[in-house]
Amino acid sequence: MLTAITRGVSPAIAECELTFLERLPIDFRKATEQHRDYELLLTLLGVRVVSLPAEPRLPDSVFVEDTALVLDEVAVVFPMGAASRRRETISMSEVLLRYRPIENIVLPGTVEGGDILRIGRKLFVGLSRRTNEEGIRQLSAIAARHGYEVTPAPVTGCLHLKSACTYLGKNTLLGNRAWMDVSPFDGYEWIDVPAEEPAAANTLAVGGKVILPESYPHTRSLLEERGFAVVSLDISELQKAEGGLTCSSLLFEEEYEE
Ligand code: CIR
């Protein structure tokens, strides 16, 4: 069954890391409500949600996707590029041990899960402000042992690879191609985000639907014209923390048998 690990919003979220955004006030109660709606929507789409308690001292810890990559055979835990976030992996490793054996990337390698776009047994990994060449090298070695191929994909205009593009299914990517090097993605169809919604590429395709932030109505129309079933969700407060839809869950198949 598709499983999503999530974590409650930290009451310290106002002190989150910000790279490309100006700091705006975040309404903690609203953020918590939006996060619960996110968990509820995943449940309605057939995902088993494992909701962990908030980490009051770790402002960005709601963004669990960045801590690790859960493949069918192994969980790979990362030293994140943002040093302030590295303690998030301590409790996450304990949880992941219930599901998979764990391997660790080690410093000076850094990787964040927001940089990993998985399509089957291909892992496209953003070379970004948070994920470095040494991190990608170590990840490639671990992934290769389990039959996955890693392809680096330089990212220039945004935080992570999946801020610039996500996979919708049907061999199609939604992207802002100005923010990344697209050459690793030869052979895929592209849908370009509309100019007025440059940050709309971070979607979550699950349960036959594409979840999209409510703030991107033009992208919604475009995806619907192209035959994708879209569900919109208001995540305005988490967007102010530079979070998107993929960041708030760590998704994997719970019962995997070789
Ligand atoms: C950070 O800068 O690390 C957080 N404020 C946002 C992380 C978003 N994560 C993601 O896109 N995977």
Side-chain angles (χ1 to χ4, degrees):
M1 183 174 193
L2 191 58
T3 297
I5 296 179
T6 59
R7 183 181 288 292
V9 180
S10 170
I13 190 164
E15 290 148 48
C16 65
E17 291 281 336
L18 288 176
T19 308
F20 287 86
L21 296 185
E22 295 291 316
R23 197 166 296 276
L24 293 172
I26 297 177
D27 181 333
F28 169 65
R29 256 181 59 185
K30 199 166 159 194
T32 299
E33 281 163 21
Q34 290 176 347
H35 188 59
R36 288 211 189 102
D37 287 346
Y38 174 81
E39 293 176 325
L40 185 62
L41 177 58
L42 289 178
T43 306
L44 292 173
L45 291 173
V47 180
R48 175 173 175 253
V49 175
V50 177
S51 181
L52 307 177
E55 293 258 27
R57 288 168 196 277
L58 298 174
D60 280 305
S61 51
V62 64
F63 302 122
V64 286
E65 166 181 60
D66 294 321
T67 60
L69 171 69
V70 185
L71 296 171
D72 295 338
E73 303 81 0
V74 67
V76 188
V77 176
F78 306 135
M80 283 185 268
S84 69
R85 300 195 55 191
R86 290 195 186 131
R87 281 178 302 143
E88 292 176 28
T89 58
I90 300 170
S91 57
M92 184 56 78
S93 295
E94 282 171 25
V95 174
L96 289 175
L97 264 177
R98 293 182 210 153
Y99 301 97
R100 299 287 192 274
I102 288 185
E103 300 209 37
N104 290 281
I105 305 286
V106 292
L107 290 170
T110 63
V111 179
E112 293 193 3
D115 273 314
I116 302 177
L117 174 59
R118 178 180 172 185
I119 305 178
R121 296 193 85 82
K122 289 190 181 156
L123 304 174
F124 295 95
V125 184
L127 182 59
S128 70
R129 300 206 180 188
R130 299 287 179 87
T131 297
N132 65 17
E133 283 181 1
E134 172 58 16
I136 296 180
R137 191 193 63 73
Q138 292 181 37
L139 180 60
S140 302
I142 295 169
R145 284 203 297 280
H146 299 285
Y148 296 82
E149 183 194 355
V150 165
T151 306
V155 180
T156 46
C158 53
L159 188 60
H160 291 125
L161 176 62
K162 279 188 293 192
S163 331
C165 79
T166 52
Y167 186 64
L168 302 171
K170 298 192 260 187
N171 200 47
T172 304
L173 294 157
L174 175 69
N176 180 335
R177 291 193 261 181
W179 284 356
M180 57 184 286
D181 176 358
V182 294
S183 57
F185 295 93
D186 261 7
Y188 292 97
E189 299 288 321
W190 282 94
I191 299 178
D192 293 310
V193 292
E196 58 270 61
E197 295 174 358
N202 185 269
T203 64
L204 189 56
V206 70
K209 309 273 188 208
V210 176
I211 313 176
L212 182 74
E214 206 168 83
S215 48
Y216 303 130
H218 299 282
T219 308
R220 179 178 185 141
S221 307
L222 194 61
L223 292 177
E224 287 175 341
E225 276 163 30
R226 295 285 289 265
F228 291 94
V230 178
V231 186
S232 295
L233 192 65
D234 184 4
I235 57 160
S236 59
E237 300 311 298
L238 298 167
Q239 285 172 306
K240 291 180 198 167
E242 218 162 343
L245 280 164
T246 62
C247 339
S248 298
S249 57
L250 198 48
L251 280 168
F252 57 92
E253 283 297 333
E254 184 170 340
E255 285 147 29
Y256 174 74
E257 284 168 26
E258 284 191 66

